[in-house]
Amino acid sequence: MFLFATSTDPTERSPPGSRRSLGRVPGSPQERAAPSAVFLAATSGLTVDVGARPHDAAALVAKVTAAAAEEGPVSPSASAASSPSSDVDRDAALAVAVHSVAAGHAGEVSVAIFDEAAGTGAAYASGDGTYDTASIVKVDILAALLVRAQDEGRALTAQEKTHATAMIRTSDNAAATAVWDALGGTDGLNAANARLGLTGTTGGDGPLWGLTQTTAADQIVLLRQVFGAGDGVLSAASRAYVRELMGSVADDQAWGVSAAGPAGCELKNGWLRRSTTELWDINSIGRVRVAGARYLVAVLSHGSTTKEGGVALVEAVAKAAVAVVHGGG
C-alpha cells in the first residue's frame, strides 16, 4: 500500500514547467460538462441508459419530494420495475441518497452502480463528473496488457504476471509503471480503451498514470468487461485472471466498495494526496454481493481533507447506492 504525504509520488507530479488540467477529457466543453449517459454492455451488445451525467442534487431532491407528494407510497415491486422512467427515478433516488450522506463534505463525489441480473443501474455525478483515477487505473492498465497479449496470441509472461499481481494486490507503483511503459503509456492505454468502450477516460501525461482522467460511468464499462460473460473484448481467461487478483487484495486495502458487500467483493482502490492542494482523491471500484445479488459499483471522489474522511465518504456512498438499487429505488 502507498500513501502520499507532503512529499509526492512520481505518478502524481506534473512535468516541470507544465500545468495539468484535471478536468480534461476528449471533446467539447459541452461534452466535458455531460459525461456519457450510456453504460455499454460488453457481454451482449446491450446498451443501458442510466443517466450517467452531472445532476443538480437539489433539483432531483425536489423532484422526488414532489413525486412522492403526488403519488403517495410506491411498493418495492413497482418501483423496481425495469423501464426508462424507473431508471430516471432510480437516478433521482440515488441523488437524494448521495446528497444526504455527503452533506458537509468539502469535496465532490460521483457514483455509478449496475445490477448484473437486472441489467439496470443508476448514476450520480457532481461537478463535471471527471476525476483523477489514482490507482484504480491499474485495473485498466492490466486490461490493456491482456488485450495486447490476446492480440499476440499468447499468455502473459512470468514477468508480466509478477507486475500484474503486485499492482492489483498490493497497489505497487513500480509494477504499474513498468506495465504502463511497456504499453506505450497514455497512447497504449487510450488505444485499448477505445476497444473496451471507455469513451470518457484519458491516460495521464507522460509517466503520470495516476492522473488518468475518468468518470464513474466509464469505470462501470470497464467492470462489465471484467465481470461480464460472453462476447466481451477480454477473453474468459483474461476476465478470470483480473477477477482473481481483485478478489485477493491485501488486507489493508479491503475498504471502499466492500463496505456495501457483506457477502463478498472484488475491488481495487485508489488514493492520492495532490501536492497542489494537499487534498485527497479517494476512489473505489469493484463487484459486491448482497443477498444473492451482484452489483458493479464505482465511487470516485476528490477534495477530502484527510484520507480517512475520503474513505468514509466513499464507503457511505457505496452503501447508499447499493441500498437504492437493491431496495428497488
Side-chain angles (χ1 to χ4, degrees):
M1 184 173 75
F2 59 95
L3 295 176
F4 294 105
T6 52
S7 60
T8 313
D9 186 276
T11 58
E12 192 268 353
R13 195 165 52 238
S14 295
S18 70
R19 297 190 64 181
R20 171 75 175 173
S21 173
L22 297 183
R24 180 173 60 82
V25 295
S28 65
Q30 290 77 15
E31 289 171 328
R32 290 197 298 271
S36 171
V38 176
F39 288 167
L40 300 178
T43 58
S44 64
L46 175 67
T47 299
V48 182
D49 183 354
V50 294
R53 55 196 176 277
H55 293 297
D56 181 334
L60 285 171
V61 170
K63 174 183 176 181
V64 173
T65 302
E70 292 177 6
E71 300 179 11
V74 180
S75 69
S77 60
S79 63
S82 177
S83 67
S85 60
S86 68
D87 283 343
V88 173
D89 293 342
R90 201 175 289 111
D91 280 355
L94 181 58
V96 173
V98 172
H99 189 258
S100 175
V101 301
H105 187 79
E108 292 183 332
V109 63
S110 292
V111 57
I113 180 169
F114 185 81
D115 183 334
E116 288 190 315
T120 58
Y124 170 84
S126 61
D128 70 358
T130 307
Y131 294 75
D132 303 330
T133 56
S135 281
I136 61 169
V137 76
K138 291 168 182 172
V139 176
D140 198 7
I141 293 172
L142 177 54
L145 176 64
L146 289 165
V147 168
R148 188 179 72 169
Q150 289 175 192
D151 289 346
E152 295 172 353
R154 63 174 179 85
L156 295 186
T157 66
Q159 184 62 72
E160 286 171 338
K161 287 183 177 179
T162 297
H163 289 324
T165 298
M167 71 179 183
I168 301 298
R169 286 181 171 164
T170 63
S171 205
D172 186 87
N173 286 344
T177 297
V179 178
W180 173 262
D181 290 344
L183 290 170
T186 187
D187 289 341
L189 186 73
N190 291 344
N193 283 344
R195 295 173 60 183
L196 292 166
L198 279 68
T199 59
T201 300
T202 305
D205 290 338
L208 305 179
W209 47 258
L211 293 186
T212 294
Q213 301 295 287
T214 195
T215 65
D218 252 22
Q219 290 303 302
I220 294 296
V221 174
L222 177 61
L223 290 172
R224 294 204 67 185
Q225 287 283 357
V226 171
F227 293 99
D231 297 328
V233 177
L234 294 175
S235 68
S238 292
R239 294 195 302 269
Y241 182 63
V242 182
R243 293 175 191 175
E244 176 190 358
L245 295 181
M246 293 179 68
S248 55
V249 299
D251 290 343
D252 61 357
Q253 296 179 31
W255 49 265
V257 297
S258 57
C265 181
E266 295 96 356
L267 59 75
K268 181 71 189 80
N269 297 323
W271 58 105
L272 175 67
R273 190 180 187 184
R274 296 306 312 276
S275 62
T276 52
T277 63
E278 296 193 356
L279 299 177
W280 286 85
D281 297 332
I282 303 291
N283 305 322
S284 185
I285 62 172
R287 178 172 70 174
V288 302
R289 297 173 180 80
V290 181
R294 297 182 300 186
Y295 302 100
L296 306 181
V297 186
V299 185
L300 311 179
S301 75
H302 55 220
S304 295
T305 56
T306 66
K307 179 189 176 186
E308 294 74 17
V311 170
L313 173 68
V314 165
E315 292 186 340
V317 170
K319 289 179 181 178
V322 170
V324 165
V325 176
H326 187 71

